[in-house]
C-alpha cells in the first residue's frame, strides 16, 4: 500500500532502556500532531529478540477512555487488554511513550524497535472507531473522503482478525475480498467475495452482520485512507 512518511504517517526507530516508569520513556516523532494509532515491533537485540508480538494501541480502545493503557497485537486476533506497553501515557504532538520491559514488546533493555505512527489528515486518512449494531444497515462512518483502503479490528472480542478491504479487492463494489494482517490465508479464503462495506464520497457503512465489521455492541476500530 506504500504509505508515505508525511503528515499522517511516521516511522521511528529506537533502543529500549528497560524502564517501566509511567511517562518516563519518551521518543520524538515528526507527525506534528498526536498519533492516534501506533504499532511497535522488536527488530533485534535484547532478551526477547525475535519472539515478541507486535503491540499496538489506538485512540478507540476501551471506548476511548484511557486508550493508551490498552493494547492489541496486529499479528494475533486477541481482544483488547490492559498494558503498560505505552507507558500509561497518551502521545503528544511531539512524542510517544513506551514501557513494560517485562514482555519485551516496547521497551526491553537494549532491544531495537520500529514504531509506526498514524494520524488523521483531512481528506486523506482517518483513525476512528464505532459501535456495531449487528444489522445489514450498519452505522454510517463519516471520513470526509471516499476510502480506498480500510483496516478493521473488533476490539471487544477475540477470534476476529485484522480485516483489510481495499479498492483493488473490490471495496466500493458488491463483490469484495478481504485480507487479514494476522492470518496467512489468501484473500477471502474459503469463499467468494461479498458486500461487506459500502462507500460514498465522504463515508463508509458496514452492510452485513459480520463479527469483523459490525458485531452488535462491539467496538470496531478502523484506519481508512483515500
Amino acid at each position: 500500500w506504500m504509505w508515505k512518511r508525511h503528515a499522517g504517517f511516521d516511522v521511528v526507530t529506537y533502543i529500549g532502556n528497560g524502564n517501566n516508569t509511567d511517562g518516563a520513556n519518551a521518543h520524538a516523532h515528526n507527525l506534528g500532531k498526536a498519533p492516534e494509532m501506533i504499532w511497535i515491533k522488536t527488530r533485534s537485540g535484547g532478551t526477547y529478540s525475535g519472539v515478541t508480538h507486535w503491540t499496538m494501541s489506538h485512540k478507540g480502545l476501551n471506548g476511548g477512555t484511557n486508550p493508551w493503557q490498552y493494547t492489541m497485537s496486529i499479528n494475533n486476533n486477541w481482544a483488547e487488554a490492559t498494558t503498560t506497553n505505552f507507558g500509561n501515557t497518551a502521545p503528544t504532538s511531539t512524542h510517544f511513550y513506551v514501557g513494560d520491559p517485562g514482555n519485551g514488546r516496547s521497551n526491553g533493555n537494549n532491544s531495537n524497535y520500529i514504531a509506526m505512527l498514524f494520524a488523521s489528515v483531512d481528506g486523506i486518512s482517518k483513525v476512528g472507531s464505532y459501535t456495531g449494531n449487528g444489522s445489514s444497515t450498519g452505522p454510517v462512518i463519516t471520513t470526509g473522503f471516499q476510502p480506498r483502503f480500510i483496516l478493521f479490528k473488533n476490539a471487544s472480542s477475540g477470534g476476529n482478525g485484522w480485516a483489510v478491504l481495499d479498492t483493488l479487492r473490490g471495496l466500493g463494489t458488491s463483490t469484495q475480498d478481504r485480507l487479514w494482517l494476522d492470518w496467512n490465508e489468501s484473500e477471502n479464503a474459503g469463499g467468494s467475495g461479498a458486500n461487506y462495506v459500502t462507500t460514498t464520497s465522504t463515508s463508509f457503512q458496514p452492510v452485513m452482520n459480520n463479527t469483523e465489521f459490525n458485531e452488535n455492541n462491539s467496538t470496531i476500530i478502523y484506519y481508512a485512507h483515500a
Side-chain angles (χ1 to χ4, degrees):
W1 296 295
M2 297 299 289
W3 290 315
K4 180 181 178 181
R5 292 181 70 189
H6 201 257
F9 178 63
D10 195 17
V11 179
V12 176
T13 60
Y14 67 93
I15 299 174
N17 63 17
N19 189 331
N20 200 33
T21 303
D22 288 355
N25 312 302
H27 295 285
H29 66 79
N30 294 299
L31 282 178
K33 61 183 70 176
E36 297 169 299
M37 178 172 68
I38 301 176
W39 304 350
I40 298 177
K41 182 70 174 75
T42 316
R43 297 165 58 220
S44 62
T47 304
Y48 296 93
S49 178
V51 298
T52 60
H53 298 291
W54 284 85
T55 187
M56 68 81 63
S57 194
H58 182 289
K59 71 174 187 178
L61 296 188
N62 194 38
T65 301
N66 298 320
W68 301 96
Q69 297 177 20
Y70 288 77
T71 189
M72 292 190 294
S73 172
I74 64 172
N75 59 291
N76 292 284
N77 60 15
W78 304 334
E80 63 185 5
T82 57
T83 186
T84 58
N85 289 347
F86 294 87
N88 287 331
T89 305
T92 71
S93 61
T94 59
H95 291 81
F96 67 97
Y97 299 85
V98 297
D100 206 342
N103 65 28
R105 294 177 193 165
S106 69
N107 200 36
N109 192 38
N110 291 323
S111 291
N112 294 293
Y113 293 91
I114 186 167
M116 301 179 182
L117 292 73
F118 300 80
S120 301
V121 178
D122 288 348
I124 295 175
S125 60
K126 181 74 171 179
V127 181
S129 62
Y130 59 92
T131 301
N133 64 17
S135 80
S136 59
T137 52
V140 175
I141 310 304
T142 300
T143 56
F145 55 84
Q146 185 157 6
R148 290 191 295 160
F149 169 100
I150 314 175
L151 169 67
F152 301 85
K153 178 67 175 78
N154 185 331
S156 299
S157 60
N160 301 296
W162 292 84
V164 174
L165 297 175
D166 64 34
T167 52
L168 293 180
R169 293 167 182 82
L171 178 62
T173 74
S174 61
T175 305
Q176 303 167 29
D177 288 335
R178 294 168 292 179
L179 286 176
W180 297 270
L181 297 187
D182 53 317
W183 298 345
N184 63 4
E185 283 97 341
S186 59
E187 59 190 40
N188 225 71
S192 59
N195 189 12
Y196 299 111
V197 173
T198 61
T199 62
T200 73
S201 61
T202 58
S203 67
F204 69 87
Q205 180 183 21
V207 289
M208 181 183 290
N209 179 10
N210 177 285
T211 57
E212 294 167 335
F213 309 120
N214 195 31
E215 185 173 57
N216 192 38
N217 290 326
S218 287
T219 296
I220 314 296
I221 63 171
Y222 71 88
Y223 171 71
H225 202 285

